[in-house]
């Protein structure tokens, strides 16, 4: 049985079509990532699957239960961590977790094993008000509260947004451990490095999935030439690269610019020569240009550019 | 301090003159031993650094390292417990200076930026007015700005109805509408997708090229690479400060992500 099955989900807010036919399956014990820009429809998917809003079309089942008819059953068996911090800021860490345990008819002690990896970070601060925690700690508390009733599927809507890189890494280590315990996890994130930690990902844009595959599968579909360029003056280099007719797109990627070339039949060497020549004409010297393998972020930027230009 | 110096300092202060040469040639921010305590907790612990004019300065650190507290001091929103800071020629220990400082800096945070229930043009007008620009200047600059952002047709829309990416671009434009000397950006791209983040950084580049110094915090380590120099704060102190290339060399790291993890991993305190 699939943990999640969504078929042609549609959601409208007034005249705005937030979801325009979204379908996917999540296997038991899988980490499924939903990757896309703000307003693409990620949160609507989460809210439909956690039975908080109704779809305007299509259907979905979580753990085999229908999200409209069997909402009561689903709510008991899933954990949900919304994008916005939604715990009680004026209750302490311990009070929050006990409150959520009570809501689901359990106790912290009963399910301590499940949350102890995460909760152990919080225990030194258990008397502190949730509102006074740092971003990384708030997120750990929210995850503990979402886990306290031993859910079978976990829905995490941008759990690491605004969290520093060290805490993000810890958080993903925890998710991997939860997965090993058999939990299915549906997670959305704006961080592309996290996308590669998922078993499968869906790229979403304007309420539609552009592609669903393993990270490696998504990357293998990127076939245009991709080069990394760096030089002494990066901002003007970015503008000048974009002026070259053979360039499909160019974006800053950390310490280099990633350049996607149009299909041309040129050899790799000729592609590098072409960029050197065109950029030399604009006064850029001392450039380093080399071919690179695409990452998920390159794929996302490519699909996003395509979509924007169509 | 010798007595003669003290007297001269007093006279300079009376005359409202530039007090001394604490701020060096080409610098727009300098701090020395800047410290902020809340009770017995030292949030910012003797930080000393300087930022050059027109520089993009990345102010990094883990959650709770003290970045926001330090930034609030530099914006004149919070008083330091001890130490010294001069921003854009204004000394943060003098009340009168702090007031004037606010006119020559811009500030944008993730949490507060624009009024959601005002229209696009109303927000621009409001902030232009707060910064003391005349109606004529505001009207002319508003048109220029909306044109440049491609938001001309959105001018009568409520800000709450704009996509997050547009809101952030507008918020940034409003923060530099009065051509400040320094703009402080507190996690301006939190939760934004890769395409929008890049568009935002291109605006930051433009502002820096126009001579506005950019002081920015971020949790995206690829964005740290876009900065001229970055500092990394750990437990209230600045543990490293240099260009991204030099830091990577120093720590033998392939990316800023690695440098960050090596330094921030040493943190002892949680909040």
């Amino acid at each position: 049985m699939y943990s999640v099955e969504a078929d042609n989900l549609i959601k409208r807010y007034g005249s705005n079509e937030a979801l325009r036919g979204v379908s996917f399956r999540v296997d038991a014990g899988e980490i499924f990532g939903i990757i896309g820009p703000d307003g693409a429809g990620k949160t609507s998917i989460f809210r439909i699957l956690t039975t908080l809003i109704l779809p305007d079309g299509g259907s979905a089942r979580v753990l085999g239960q229908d999200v409209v008819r069997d909402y009561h059953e689903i709510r008991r068996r899933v954990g949900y961590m919304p994008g916005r911090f939604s715990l009680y800021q004026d209750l302490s860490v311990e009070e929050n977790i006990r409150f959520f345990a009570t809501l689901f008819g359990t106790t912290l002690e009963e399910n301590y094993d499940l949350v102890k990896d995460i909760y152990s970070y919080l225990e030194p601060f258990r008397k502190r008000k949730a509102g006074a925690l740092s971003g990384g700690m708030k997120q750990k508390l929210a995850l503990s509260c979402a886990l306290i009733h031993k859910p079978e599927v976990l829905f995490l809507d941008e759990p690491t947004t605004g969290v520093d890189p060290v805490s993000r890494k810890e958080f993903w280590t925890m998710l991997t451990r939860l997965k090993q315990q058999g939990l299915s996890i549906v997670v959305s994130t704006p961080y592309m490095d996290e996308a590669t930690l998922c078993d499968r990902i869906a790229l979403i844009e304007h309420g539609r999935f552009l592609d669903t595959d393993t990270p490696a599968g998504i990357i293998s579909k990127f076939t245009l030439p991709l080069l990394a360029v760096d030089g002494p003056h990066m901002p003007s280099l970015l503008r000048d690269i974009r002026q070259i007719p053979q360039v499909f797109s160019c974006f800053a990627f950390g310490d280099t610019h990633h350049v996607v070339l149009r299909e041309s039949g040129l050899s790799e060497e000729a592609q590098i020569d072409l960029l050197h020549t065109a950029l030399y004409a604009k006064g850029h010297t001392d450039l380093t240009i080399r071919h690179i393998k695409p990452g998920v972020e390159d794929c996302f930027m490519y699909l996003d550019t395509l979509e924007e230009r169509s | 301090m010798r007595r003669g110096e003290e007297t001269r300092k007093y006279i300079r202060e009376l005359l409202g003159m530039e007090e001394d040469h604490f701020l060096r040639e080409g610098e727009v921010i300098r701090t020395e031993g800047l410290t902020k305590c809340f009770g017995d907790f030292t949030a910012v612990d003797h930080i000393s650094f300087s930022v050059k004019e027109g520089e993009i300065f990345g102010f990094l650190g883990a959650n709770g390292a003290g970045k926001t507290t330090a930034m609030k001091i530099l914006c004149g929103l919070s008083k330091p417990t001890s130490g010294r800071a001069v921003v854009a020629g204004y000394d943060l220990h003098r009340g009168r200076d702090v007031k004037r400082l606010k006119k020559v800096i811009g500030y944008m945070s993730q949490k507060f930026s624009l009024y959601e229930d005002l229209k696009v043009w109303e927000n621009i007008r409001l902030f232009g007015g707060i910064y003391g620009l005349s109606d004529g200047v505001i009207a002319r600059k508003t048109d220029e700005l909306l044109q440049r952002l491609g938001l001309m047709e959105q001018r009568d829309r409520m800000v709450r109805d704009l996509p997050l990416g547009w809101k952030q671009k507008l918020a940034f434009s409003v923060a530099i509408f009065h051509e400040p000397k320094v703009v402080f950006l507190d996690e301006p791209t939190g939760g934004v997708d890769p395409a929008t983040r890049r568009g935002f950084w291109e605006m930051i580049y433009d502002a820096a090229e126009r001579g506005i110094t950019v002081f920015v915090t971020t949790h995206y380590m690829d964005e740290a690479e876009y900065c001229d120099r970055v500092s990394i704060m750990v437990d209230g102190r600045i543990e490293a400060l240099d260009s991204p290339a030099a830091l990577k060399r120093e720590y033998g790291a392939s990316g800023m992500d690695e440098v960050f993890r090596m330094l921030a991993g040493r943190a002892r305190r949680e909040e």
Side-chain angles (χ1 to χ4, degrees), chain B residues 171-192:
Chain B
F172 179 65
S173 305
V174 164
I176 58 168
F177 195 66
H178 58 298
E179 305 282 333
K181 288 207 168 114
V182 193
V183 64
F184 292 91
L185 308 172
D186 195 1
E187 284 182 44
T189 55
V192 177

Side-chain angles (χ1 to χ4, degrees), chain B residues 235-254:
Chain B
D235 289 351
R237 285 186 294 269
I238 289 184
E239 289 287 322
L241 195 166
D242 215 325
S243 68
L247 286 175
K248 282 184 284 183
R249 256 197 320 272
E250 187 183 338
Y251 289 89
S254 58

Side-chain angles (χ1 to χ4, degrees), chain A residues 28-50:
Chain A
E30 187 179 32
I31 300 185
F32 187 88
I34 301 178
I35 319 291
D38 312 292
K42 299 188 299 276
T43 299
S44 294
I45 297 175
F46 280 103
R47 302 185 75 185
I48 289 171
L49 296 178
T50 51

Side-chain angles (χ1 to χ4, degrees), chain A:
Chain A
M1 187 187 59
Y2 291 109
S3 294
V4 176
E5 301 160 84
D7 289 304
N8 202 26
L9 284 178
I10 291 171
K11 181 69 196 173
R12 293 184 205 93
Y13 301 102
S15 61
N16 172 24
E17 272 200 298
L19 295 178
R20 299 187 295 165
V22 165
S23 306
F24 65 101
R25 302 273 179 278
V26 178
D27 283 319
E30 187 179 32
I31 300 185
F32 187 88
I34 301 178
I35 319 291
D38 312 292
K42 299 188 299 276
T43 299
S44 294
I45 297 175
F46 280 103
R47 302 185 75 185
I48 289 171
L49 296 178
T50 51
T51 77
L52 297 173
I53 57 172
L54 297 172
D56 293 312
S59 65
R61 283 159 304 290
V62 175
L63 297 163
Q65 310 286 320
D66 185 87
V67 291
V68 180
R69 203 188 50 224
D70 311 316
Y71 69 93
H72 209 78
E73 171 83 3
I74 292 177
R75 288 181 189 181
R76 248 182 359 93
R77 295 172 62 189
V78 306
Y80 175 44
M81 187 172 152
R84 194 175 291 188
F85 183 69
S86 311
L87 302 179
Y88 292 92
Q89 311 250 6
D90 48 358
L91 291 186
S92 70
V93 165
E94 192 172 359
E95 285 166 342
N96 263 295
I97 198 158
R98 290 199 184 281
F99 175 77
F100 282 94
T102 310
L103 274 187
F104 286 101
T106 181
T107 60
L108 173 59
E109 288 70 22
E110 197 173 322
N111 287 326
Y112 189 75
D113 263 5
L114 195 62
V115 297
K116 74 162 185 277
D117 280 347
I118 304 152
Y119 193 64
S120 62
Y121 285 99
L122 290 162
E123 269 179 328
F125 314 104
R126 63 179 191 279
K127 299 283 176 216
R128 187 173 295 183
K129 298 256 191 288
L133 293 175
S134 71
M137 280 289 152
K138 275 185 180 161
Q139 164 229 40
K140 289 185 183 92
L141 177 59
L143 182 61
S144 301
C145 291
L147 278 173
I148 194 63
H149 60 294
K150 225 174 179 169
E152 294 157 70
V153 188
L154 202 51
F155 291 99
L156 309 171
D157 193 0
E158 297 206 4
T160 54
T161 292
V163 174
D164 70 71
V166 176
S167 302
R168 286 208 288 127
K169 213 172 153 75
E170 281 171 8
F171 191 80
W172 274 88
T173 309
M174 288 174 209
L175 291 192
T176 316
R177 232 175 276 148
L178 290 171
K179 173 197 143 127
Q180 284 158 1
Q181 295 172 24
L183 236 79
S184 312
I185 299 170
V186 183
V187 57
S188 68
T189 177
Y191 293 96
M192 295 292 140
D193 57 337
E194 294 181 353
T196 54
L197 301 172
C198 301
D199 296 308
R200 285 189 308 137
I201 52 177
L203 301 179
I204 184 173
E205 175 81 292
H206 298 309
R208 232 193 294 246
F209 279 0
L210 302 174
D211 200 2
T212 308
D213 207 331
T214 60
I218 298 238
I219 289 169
S220 71
K221 288 172 201 157
F222 187 100
T223 54
L224 290 174
L226 179 71
L227 298 97
V229 180
D230 74 278
H233 200 248
M234 298 299 273
S236 69
L237 187 58
L238 185 66
R239 280 193 297 268
D240 290 334
I241 292 173
R242 286 181 181 162
Q243 301 299 319
I244 301 170
Q246 289 86 348
V247 167
F248 172 79
S249 66
C250 176
F251 294 103
F253 270 75
D255 54 359
T256 62
H257 293 329
H258 285 193
V259 182
V260 180
L261 292 183
R262 294 175 201 283
E263 213 71 74
S264 67
L266 290 176
S267 71
E268 290 207 341
E269 222 169 295
Q271 290 165 2
I272 292 177
D273 281 346
L274 175 124
L275 287 178
H276 268 301
T277 312
L279 291 169
Y280 184 78
K282 292 183 177 168
H284 292 282
T285 52
D286 294 326
L287 300 178
T288 310
I289 305 181
R290 63 198 161 87
H291 282 84
I292 51 165
K293 289 200 170 63
V296 174
E297 192 153 359
D298 291 295
C299 299
F300 181 86
M301 293 301 294
Y302 173 70
L303 292 171
D304 186 75
T305 310
L306 270 186
E307 173 91 11
E308 201 171 278
R309 291 186 191 168
S310 67

Side-chain angles (χ1 to χ4, degrees), chain B:
Chain B
M1 208 179 277
R2 291 208 320 275
R3 257 199 90 179
E5 272 179 54
E6 222 161 309
T7 313
R8 274 196 293 278
K9 185 172 171 235
Y10 177 62
I11 292 171
R12 277 199 302 267
E13 269 181 29
L14 269 185
L15 296 173
M17 280 165 61
E18 282 292 310
E19 160 178 276
D20 57 8
H21 298 290
F22 182 69
L23 207 58
R24 300 189 190 149
E25 181 76 30
E27 287 178 353
V28 68
I29 298 174
R30 171 171 282 270
T31 76
E32 244 168 57
L34 197 67
T35 300
K36 177 80 185 187
C37 303
F38 298 104
D40 57 4
F41 176 71
T42 309
V44 175
D45 192 358
H46 295 85
I47 60 172
S48 304
F49 69 102
S50 64
V51 178
K52 295 173 204 150
E53 262 172 353
E55 183 172 45
I56 302 177
F57 189 88
F59 197 58
L60 312 182
N63 297 115
K67 293 181 310 255
T68 301
T69 307
M71 196 183 249
K72 277 188 177 161
I73 295 174
L74 297 177
C75 292
L77 297 173
S78 166
K79 256 185 125 156
T81 310
S82 64
R84 195 161 171 209
V86 173
V87 178
Y90 294 111
D91 193 318
L92 296 181
H93 270 296
R94 298 199 304 196
R96 189 185 52 202
D97 269 24
V98 170
K99 252 191 201 158
R100 290 184 186 160
L101 169 70
K102 288 178 187 160
K103 285 209 160 194
V104 299
I105 60 168
Y107 176 70
M108 172 188 169
S109 90
Q110 219 182 328
K111 285 179 194 113
F112 171 78
S113 46
L114 300 168
Y115 287 93
E116 298 264 308
D117 50 356
L118 289 183
K119 292 171 184 167
V120 167
W121 74 266
E122 288 171 333
N123 266 286
I124 302 173
R125 200 207 118 130
L126 173 68
F127 284 99
I130 288 173
Y131 283 114
L133 302 183
S134 72
D135 288 356
V137 171
I138 293 175
R140 179 174 53 76
K141 290 192 65 157
T142 300
D143 282 352
E144 270 173 28
L145 174 63
L146 292 176
Q147 208 98 66
R148 197 168 63 234
L149 293 180
L151 282 177
M152 214 50 178
E153 281 168 27
Q154 319 293 334
R155 75 181 277 140
D156 289 324
R157 258 177 99 181
M158 291 292 188
V159 161
R160 66 162 171 263
D161 296 330
L162 294 181
L164 183 61
W166 289 11
K167 264 187 220 173
Q168 274 163 317
K169 283 186 179 181
L170 183 61
F172 179 65
S173 305
V174 164
I176 58 168
F177 195 66
H178 58 298
E179 305 282 333
K181 288 207 168 114
V182 193
V183 64
F184 292 91
L185 308 172
D186 195 1
E187 284 182 44
T189 55
V192 177
D193 68 272
T196 311
R197 284 203 293 125
R198 288 188 169 79
F200 193 85
W201 270 87
E202 285 169 30
M203 292 185 71
I204 292 182
Y205 275 158
D206 284 346
E209 282 189 348
R210 297 210 313 262
I212 299 175
T213 306
V214 179
F215 188 94
V216 58
T217 71
T218 179
H219 285 317
Y220 292 93
M221 289 303 121
D222 60 330
E223 295 185 350
E225 304 271 8
Y226 306 154
C227 301
D228 296 311
R229 289 190 306 149
V230 300
S231 68
I232 299 179
M233 239 176 134
V234 182
D235 289 351
R237 285 186 294 269
I238 289 184
E239 289 287 322
L241 195 166
D242 215 325
S243 68
L247 286 175
K248 282 184 284 183
R249 256 197 320 272
E250 187 183 338
Y251 289 89
S254 58
M256 281 305 293
D257 195 48
E258 217 180 313
V259 175
F260 185 88
R261 272 190 266 123
M262 285 164 89
L263 284 164
R266 296 183 195 159
R268 289 173 182 278
R269 76 183 195 210
E270 180 44 46
E271 303 294 288

